[in-house]
Amino acid sequence: MAHEEPSKSAPQTKLVIRNIGLLLSGDLASPILDADTVVAIGDHIAVVGKEKDVDTSGATVTIDAKGTALAPGLIDSHVHPVCGDWTPRQNQLGWIDSYLHGGVTTMVSAGEVHTPGRPKDIVGLKAMAIFAQRAFHAFRPGGVKIYAGAPVIEHGMVEDDFKELASAGVKILGEVGLGSVKDGKTAQQMVSWARKYGIQSTIHTGGPSIPGSSLIDKDMVLETDADVIGHVNGGHTALPDDQITALCERSTRALEIVHNGNERAGLLALRTAMELKQLNRVILGTDSPAGSGVQPLGIVRMISLLSSLGEIPAEIAICLATGNTAKIRNLNCGLIAPGREASFVLMDRAQHSAGKNLLDSIQKGDLPGIGMVVIDGAVSTHRSRNTPPATTAPEVVLR
């Protein structure tokens, strides 16, 4: 039977989200917007503004936010996917769908390193990266976007290997240091080749995380000059304090703080970045699945941790997990602005939190209650099964 192409004249969907009580932009420069309505046409944001000034007619779906907060969908800058929605690291199914219930709409692979029998020859590692890039582009559990296909560099790779990977659609490297390349000079050469062809790099930082990895200290991180200093707070074991502050002070690259790291070291990195007035460099990830398990609420936990103990406003902490990461990872999500992907998380103060509102509750260390997640203009999930229940949840009032 012949395959019937979808009609090019099919009408686009129009999503209207109204009655937003707090609109969090994801942008450090202006984290709270004076707006109560968002309109998305298809999978992108069309208009952000006051309902009285916005054309809401012709909506195919209307969501009444009921005074709750809307933020960009959260981004996990550091995951290790393998095959579909299964992780052999913990032999767990449905982990990506569970992260969706933690408000995560986008994930970036730091390498498919937990793949059983992961090939380490050059032909094999390139083939695996291209396969993973293709597979996760086509398969999106719950709608979550996974940017995967992140090869771990190995000795013997030459410039043409990076050119070939880029031409096949690979855009990220797995953590430098998890393969056989463990010296700064070789790593720097390969990172430069990757950068030449538009492939972004991340370096492992700190002590070994799994058998086969090793210590990567500040000297190798600085010499390699990867685009992202992966888990600057260790994954799991952190570098000494003076090395962490040196990385913040002597490098201009992104500083990634992860859930599966040293929390005290993460707070040190955050405070150092603030002292340097370089909070725009800070991004958040979970570094999971890992030996410590799967953390569906890892990103919201990081937001609450850094806000409550790092003493930054909650709306700023949310920017670290949205707009900051989007800008550094070159993604068209993470910000509430026309032209950006229409992926949102709607939240409210968790029931019975001591905080007087959502932002105050996060500042006090509580997790938000997630009432709905929207990806590419479509509702992916209603009230989260994993967060504490939101005091008020949004409602779809028109389909």
Side-chain angles (χ1 to χ4, degrees), residues 258-280:
V258 301
H259 180 277
N260 284 345
N262 181 313
E263 293 177 340
R264 190 191 63 82
L267 291 166
L268 171 64
L270 175 72
R271 290 176 179 132
T272 305
M274 286 193 292
E275 289 169 6
L276 294 169
K277 299 187 181 344
Q278 295 176 3
L279 202 57
N280 60 300

Side-chain angles (χ1 to χ4, degrees), residues 38 80 112 149 160 215 229 233 251 266 304 312 315 332 338 348 390:
V38 173
H80 291 292
E112 296 76 42
D160 278 351
L215 169 69
I229 300 175
N233 60 323
S251 172
S304 292
I312 60 173
E315 62 269 27
N332 191 34
D348 196 18

